[in-house]
Amino acid sequence: MTLHFTRNRTALATAGLLLAAAAPTAYASLDTEPAPVIAPAPTRGTPYVETQLFFGTERPDGGPAVSDRQFMAFVDKEVTPDFPDGLTVQNGRGQWRDANGKIEKERSYELILLYPVKAAAASDRKIEEVRRAYEKAFAQEAVARVDDRTWVDF
């Protein structure tokens, strides 16, 4: 009977240790809510590229800032002929570090272009021409560019 009593005590002790080890994990999982199930975004439309261009208005040479009238004339002449299907221009306030290390804060414009992925190679060339034309016309160090693939439905 002593042997049987010792086995029972050993089994109970082992079960107690297992419960003690597992309890913190079990209680911790009660404190957290299950992760929400997020449905994937529907793929509606056609694959497009969205390009954002950021144009500063202050001139590093100290000349007058680019005016709204000058910028819109630039868009009419340099952008619209190559992107006649549409574009968006937004006013902004931006800042960046210039070639001399100075942080420039200035009024700016964001130009958004959408074009089909199949037209990306031709559009890339045209966009680079727009960037260089603005830099030259208004003595700018750079025009920032951001490209992203997306789905568009009109």
Side-chain angles (χ1 to χ4, degrees):
M1 177 125 177
T2 306
L3 182 62
H4 183 61
F5 181 69
T6 304
R7 279 190 192 163
N8 285 342
R9 288 176 69 188
T10 303
L12 286 172
T14 302
L17 287 173
L18 288 174
L19 286 172
T25 303
Y27 284 116
S29 66
L30 291 176
D31 292 340
T32 60
E33 294 187 24
V37 177
I38 300 173
T43 50
R44 177 176 291 122
T46 306
Y48 266 63
V49 176
E50 176 183 4
T51 297
Q52 298 168 284
L53 298 176
F54 298 91
F55 300 88
T57 58
E58 297 297 318
R59 297 182 197 223
D61 63 6
V66 179
S67 69
D68 286 339
R69 177 172 279 154
Q70 289 173 311
F71 184 76
M72 291 314 297
F74 174 83
V75 170
D76 291 344
K77 180 182 175 197
E78 301 290 340
V79 183
T80 301
D82 288 331
F83 296 93
D85 292 337
L87 54 88
T88 298
V89 173
Q90 297 183 32
N91 289 314
R93 296 283 314 159
Q95 73 178 44
W96 77 301
R97 186 181 309 272
D98 69 14
N100 298 318
K102 182 179 175 191
I103 294 179
E104 299 286 342
K105 295 181 181 187
E106 61 188 323
R107 190 172 50 81
S108 61
Y109 298 97
E110 176 187 13
L111 174 70
I112 303 169
L113 300 168
L114 295 169
Y115 46 92
V117 169
K118 63 185 178 186
S123 295
D124 178 68
R125 180 186 49 77
K126 295 172 187 176
I127 291 166
E128 289 305 301
E129 289 172 3
V130 167
R131 293 174 73 198
R132 299 295 88 73
Y134 189 81
E135 290 168 359
K136 184 177 178 183
F138 300 108
Q140 297 292 300
E141 288 182 24
V143 172
R145 177 179 178 171
V146 177
D147 295 299
D148 197 15
R149 290 187 65 136
T150 189
W151 292 86
V152 175
D153 187 22
F154 295 102

Short mmCIF file of all heavy atoms in Angstrom, two decimals, residues 25 31 40 42 45 53 58 81 84 90-91 103 137 148 153:
data_model
loop_
_atom_site.label_atom_id
_atom_site.label_comp_id
_atom_site.label_asym_id
_atom_site.label_seq_id
_atom_site.Cartn_x
_atom_site.Cartn_y
_atom_site.Cartn_z
N THR A 25 -0.03 30.82 -19.09
CA THR A 25 -0.31 30.91 -20.52
C THR A 25 -1.81 30.93 -20.76
O THR A 25 -2.31 31.71 -21.57
CB THR A 25 0.33 29.71 -21.25
OG1 THR A 25 1.73 29.72 -20.98
CG2 THR A 25 0.10 29.80 -22.74
N ASP A 31 -6.78 37.43 -21.53
CA ASP A 31 -6.71 38.88 -21.52
C ASP A 31 -6.69 39.50 -22.92
O ASP A 31 -6.93 40.68 -23.07
CB ASP A 31 -5.45 39.34 -20.78
CG ASP A 31 -5.53 39.03 -19.28
OD1 ASP A 31 -6.66 38.84 -18.78
OD2 ASP A 31 -4.46 38.99 -18.64
N PRO A 40 -9.59 40.96 -47.58
CA PRO A 40 -8.75 41.67 -48.54
C PRO A 40 -9.58 42.69 -49.32
O PRO A 40 -10.77 42.51 -49.53
CB PRO A 40 -8.24 40.56 -49.46
CG PRO A 40 -9.21 39.44 -49.30
CD PRO A 40 -9.77 39.56 -47.91
N PRO A 42 -11.19 44.56 -52.30
CA PRO A 42 -11.59 44.03 -53.60
C PRO A 42 -10.71 44.60 -54.71
O PRO A 42 -10.26 45.74 -54.63
CB PRO A 42 -13.04 44.50 -53.76
CG PRO A 42 -13.14 45.69 -52.87
CD PRO A 42 -12.17 45.46 -51.74
N GLY A 45 -11.44 47.37 -61.06
CA GLY A 45 -10.82 48.31 -61.98
C GLY A 45 -9.70 47.70 -62.78
O GLY A 45 -9.64 46.49 -63.00
N LEU A 53 4.19 63.94 -58.03
CA LEU A 53 5.34 64.82 -58.18
C LEU A 53 5.19 65.99 -57.22
O LEU A 53 4.10 66.54 -57.08
CB LEU A 53 5.44 65.34 -59.62
CG LEU A 53 5.64 64.29 -60.70
CD1 LEU A 53 5.62 64.95 -62.08
CD2 LEU A 53 6.93 63.52 -60.50
N GLU A 58 10.09 77.99 -53.94
CA GLU A 58 11.16 78.93 -53.61
C GLU A 58 12.34 78.68 -54.54
O GLU A 58 12.68 77.53 -54.82
CB GLU A 58 11.60 78.78 -52.15
CG GLU A 58 10.52 79.10 -51.15
CD GLU A 58 10.06 80.55 -51.21
OE1 GLU A 58 10.91 81.44 -51.35
OE2 GLU A 58 8.83 80.77 -51.12
N PRO A 81 -0.40 68.28 -72.31
CA PRO A 81 -0.28 67.65 -73.63
C PRO A 81 0.08 66.16 -73.57
O PRO A 81 -0.37 65.37 -74.41
CB PRO A 81 0.82 68.45 -74.33
CG PRO A 81 0.78 69.79 -73.67
CD PRO A 81 0.43 69.49 -72.23
N PRO A 84 -3.40 64.09 -71.24
CA PRO A 84 -4.66 64.79 -71.46
C PRO A 84 -5.87 64.14 -70.78
O PRO A 84 -6.91 64.79 -70.66
CB PRO A 84 -4.81 64.76 -72.99
CG PRO A 84 -4.08 63.51 -73.39
CD PRO A 84 -2.92 63.42 -72.44
N GLN A 90 -2.62 69.70 -56.18
CA GLN A 90 -2.97 70.10 -54.82
C GLN A 90 -1.92 71.06 -54.29
O GLN A 90 -0.73 70.91 -54.57
CB GLN A 90 -3.03 68.88 -53.90
CG GLN A 90 -4.09 67.88 -54.31
CD GLN A 90 -4.18 66.72 -53.34
OE1 GLN A 90 -3.94 66.88 -52.14
NE2 GLN A 90 -4.52 65.56 -53.84
N ASN A 91 -2.38 72.05 -53.53
CA ASN A 91 -1.46 72.97 -52.86
C ASN A 91 -0.92 72.30 -51.61
O ASN A 91 -1.60 71.51 -50.97
CB ASN A 91 -2.18 74.26 -52.47
CG ASN A 91 -2.52 75.10 -53.66
OD1 ASN A 91 -1.69 75.32 -54.54
ND2 ASN A 91 -3.75 75.58 -53.72
N ILE A 103 17.62 73.51 -44.31
CA ILE A 103 16.24 73.04 -44.41
C ILE A 103 15.39 74.17 -44.96
O ILE A 103 15.31 75.25 -44.37
CB ILE A 103 15.70 72.56 -43.05
CG1 ILE A 103 16.49 71.32 -42.62
CG2 ILE A 103 14.20 72.27 -43.13
CD1 ILE A 103 16.09 70.76 -41.28
N ALA A 137 13.19 75.58 -65.74
CA ALA A 137 12.40 76.81 -65.85
C ALA A 137 12.41 77.63 -64.56
O ALA A 137 12.37 78.86 -64.62
CB ALA A 137 10.96 76.47 -66.22
N ASP A 148 3.49 54.39 -57.34
CA ASP A 148 2.85 53.28 -56.65
C ASP A 148 1.91 52.59 -57.61
O ASP A 148 1.25 53.24 -58.42
CB ASP A 148 2.08 53.81 -55.43
CG ASP A 148 1.73 52.73 -54.44
OD1 ASP A 148 2.30 51.62 -54.53
OD2 ASP A 148 0.88 52.98 -53.58
N ASP A 153 -10.74 52.56 -61.11
CA ASP A 153 -12.02 52.33 -61.77
C ASP A 153 -12.69 53.68 -61.96
O ASP A 153 -12.86 54.43 -61.00
CB ASP A 153 -12.89 51.41 -60.90
CG ASP A 153 -14.17 50.99 -61.59
OD1 ASP A 153 -14.24 51.03 -62.82
OD2 ASP A 153 -15.12 50.63 -60.86
#
